[in-house]
Structures are given as C-alpha cells and as structure tokens.
Amino acid sequence: MAKRTAPIIVGNWKSTPKTLDDGVKFIKQLEKKLSSPKLKFPKKGYYIAVPEIFIPTLSPLAKHGFIGAETVHGTKLGQITGQTTPTQLKSGGAAFTIVGHSEVRARGETVEERTEKVVASLSIGFTTIFCLGEKTRDKEGKYLEELENDIKHTLSEVKRELFGELIVAYEPVWAIGAPEPATAAECFEAVIAIRRALASLGGIDYAKKVHILYGGAVTQDTVQTFLEEGGVDGLLIGRASQEVTSFIDILSASHVK
Ligand code: PGA
C-alpha cells in the first residue's frame, strides 16, 4: 500500500446498509462526488470496512479509496465452519481489516484470538487496524496502563518486520455509539500511552511513525479538532460513515484545506 500522507479516514459500516444494492449506490454516489476536480481529493483517500459479503462487489467500484473487512475470523485454512481467513478476504478484494473492535471483543474474542488474527493478517502484508480502548476511566489513570498492557499483550508475538502495515485505533468504549466523543486532550494522553507501549515493542523511531486513529462519536464538526489537537493521524468513524452525505462531509473536512 502506498505511503500515507493525508489523514487516514476509515468508515465502519458495521451491519449496514440493508442490501448490497444500497452499498453499490453509496459507493457510486461517493465516487461521483470525489471525482469532481474542484474537490482535489487524493488518489486513494478513504477506507471503508464493510460487511464481508459486499467486499468483492464494492472493491472494484472504490476508485478513490479502499474497501476492507470489519474483522477477520479463522486464521487457518481448514475445518472451521463459518470463518474467513485473511488470505481469503484479501483474495476477495479486501485491502485491509479491522481487528479487536470493541463490539467484537464484547462477543467474547480473547487476547489469544486477537493476537492470532493480527499475526495472520500482517504476515500476508494485509493492512491491519488494531482497535483498543478503555471501557471506563478512573481518576488514578489506571486506564492508561490498561491500554499499554493491551498493546503489549496483543503485539508482543508479532515480528517487528511485520509492524509496517499495522495501524492502531484508539477507541474509548464509552465514546463508541455515544452522543459525544472524547475530548482532543483525552485522546492525546491516550495516544501518548499507546506510543509508549509501541516504543517498548518496536523502538522509538517506529513508535513515532506508526499511524494512530481516534474513533468514537466523531462527526464532521469534530474532525479537525482531533486531527489538529488529538495527536492522531486519522479517524475511525461508525455512524457518520453510514450515510453518504455525512461521510462526504467528514472527508471534505479532513482533506480539503
Ligand atoms: P461511532 O462508532 O462513530 O458510531 O461512535 C465508532 C466505531 O465503532 O468504530
């Protein structure tokens, strides 16, 4: 994947839209808008994680962006009913996958499973967005330790040379699906903790370079604040990415100077 200089804006469609046709309409509308020379949109400027079954159809339509998977399931070929491996997702047109989203964690995903998914995805050079975030905050700042431990536990098995395609998304669970996002300052301090943990695994130079996103109740009104003051390189967006006009507004707010 090409070097990323513009903000990384990732939509997460979750279990929307209702049908594949609706997804096709969304991407076509988005592409039409982004093709306008007035917008000066980068060649590949958006990422959208979509329901797995939509990937092969939507991926070729996404000329200005990347279509990816919301999670990866089985990591090995074989007798695992209902599971899809990173290689299968990639061969079906996915350019990236999310791993460890809090809604997947809540369904019982274990640390071992997450590590396995991250290792298997990175091993085939699949861009992997690893999500983490605290459920609640305490006054003593133990949640920062929680974040650092999550990074260390999940990634300590990953070979350093595979770190290049890793993106980390800080998503405080209390902000996902909530009316209000975290503040830029709250995001900034969490990002420092995350970079500290990454430095302990991959060295300071690596930790400075790794792309970190913020996710949780972002709307077009908060895009610039996070990008300018939150210490992040991009955003992971749920609800506001599920409607074409609000996603275009987010992309405009993040890419157009
Ligand atoms: P939200 O979701 O933007 O709707 O809060 C974020 C996410 O789940 O990644």
Side-chain angles (χ1 to χ4, degrees), residues 6-12 41 44-49 65-66 96 129 213-214 218 223 227 233-237 241 247 250-255:
I8 300 171
I9 304 300
V10 186
N12 180 6
F41 196 72
K44 284 284 196 183
Y46 68 84
Y47 296 67
I48 307 179
F66 299 102
F96 69 95
I129 303 176
L213 317 179
Y214 167 80
V218 176
V223 165
L227 294 177
D233 312 287
L235 301 161
L236 179 51
I237 294 156
S241 75
F247 194 52
I250 298 246
L251 291 171
S252 307
S254 51
H255 285 98

Side-chain angles (χ1 to χ4, degrees), residues 12 14 101 103 171 175-178 215-218 236-240:
N12 180 6
K14 308 192 183 186
H101 190 281
E103 288 155 11
E171 294 213 303
I176 296 176
V218 176
L236 179 51
I237 294 156
R239 286 159 295 170

Side-chain angles (χ1 to χ4, degrees), residues 1-255:
M1 195 164 284
K3 191 169 180 297
R4 307 171 187 94
T5 44
I8 300 171
I9 304 300
V10 186
N12 180 6
W13 278 3
K14 308 192 183 186
S15 299
T16 77
K18 200 168 178 187
T19 65
L20 176 58
D21 268 0
D22 293 336
V24 168
K25 270 190 215 130
F26 184 117
I27 299 295
K28 283 189 174 164
Q29 240 179 298
L30 177 63
E31 284 293 327
K32 191 166 172 219
K33 179 77 186 177
L34 300 182
S35 303
S36 154
K38 271 193 255 153
L39 209 59
K40 293 204 183 73
F41 196 72
K43 222 168 161 198
K44 284 284 196 183
Y46 68 84
Y47 296 67
I48 307 179
V50 305
E52 200 174 292
I53 187 93
F54 295 175
I55 293 171
T57 309
L58 299 187
S59 184
L61 301 177
K63 305 280 182 235
H64 289 83
F66 299 102
I67 298 296
E70 297 172 10
T71 184
V72 2
H73 306 286
T75 56
K76 299 182 191 81
L77 273 185
Q79 310 311 309
I80 320 170
T81 302
Q83 304 283 287
T84 312
T85 70
T87 307
Q88 289 166 335
L89 287 173
K90 204 175 176 193
S91 70
F96 69 95
T97 186
I98 295 175
V99 172
H101 190 281
S102 68
E103 288 155 11
V104 177
R105 291 180 185 230
R107 294 199 298 272
E109 183 189 60
T110 63
V111 181
E112 290 72 28
E113 283 166 346
R114 263 193 300 285
T115 302
E116 213 176 75
K117 292 175 185 184
V118 171
V119 172
S121 299
L122 291 175
S123 302
I124 59 158
F126 203 22
T127 300
T128 306
I129 303 176
F130 171 62
C131 299
L132 78 162
E134 75 283 1
K135 286 204 184 96
T136 52
R137 288 195 162 206
D138 57 293
K139 288 207 181 74
E140 297 78 39
K142 288 213 177 73
Y143 61 92
L144 294 172
E145 233 171 89
E146 200 187 302
L147 296 176
E148 292 188 46
N149 287 338
D150 195 329
I151 289 272
K152 289 179 190 163
H153 290 153
T154 313
L155 302 178
S156 58
E157 301 282 304
V158 182
K159 291 200 194 83
R160 305 297 165 265
E161 59 269 27
L162 299 178
F163 274 7
E165 284 301 319
L166 179 72
I167 295 173
V168 177
Y170 168 59
E171 294 213 303
V173 179
W174 48 269
I176 296 176
E180 294 295 329
T183 64
E186 285 168 335
C187 176
F188 194 84
E189 67 164 357
V191 169
I192 291 175
I194 290 170
R195 285 201 199 277
R196 191 161 49 221
L198 289 167
S200 76
L201 296 174
I204 289 180
D205 286 347
Y206 164 70
K208 276 190 202 153
K209 276 188 293 190
V210 64
H211 295 285
I212 302 184
L213 317 179
Y214 167 80
V218 176
T219 60
Q220 60 160 316
D221 300 333
T222 45
V223 165
Q224 275 306 334
T225 314
F226 280 111
L227 294 177
E228 282 166 16
E229 297 162 30
V232 290
D233 312 287
L235 301 161
L236 179 51
I237 294 156
R239 286 159 295 170
S241 75
Q242 294 163 7
E243 208 244 307
V244 72
T245 50
S246 56
F247 194 52
I248 289 170
D249 288 342
I250 298 246
L251 291 171
S252 307
S254 51
H255 285 98

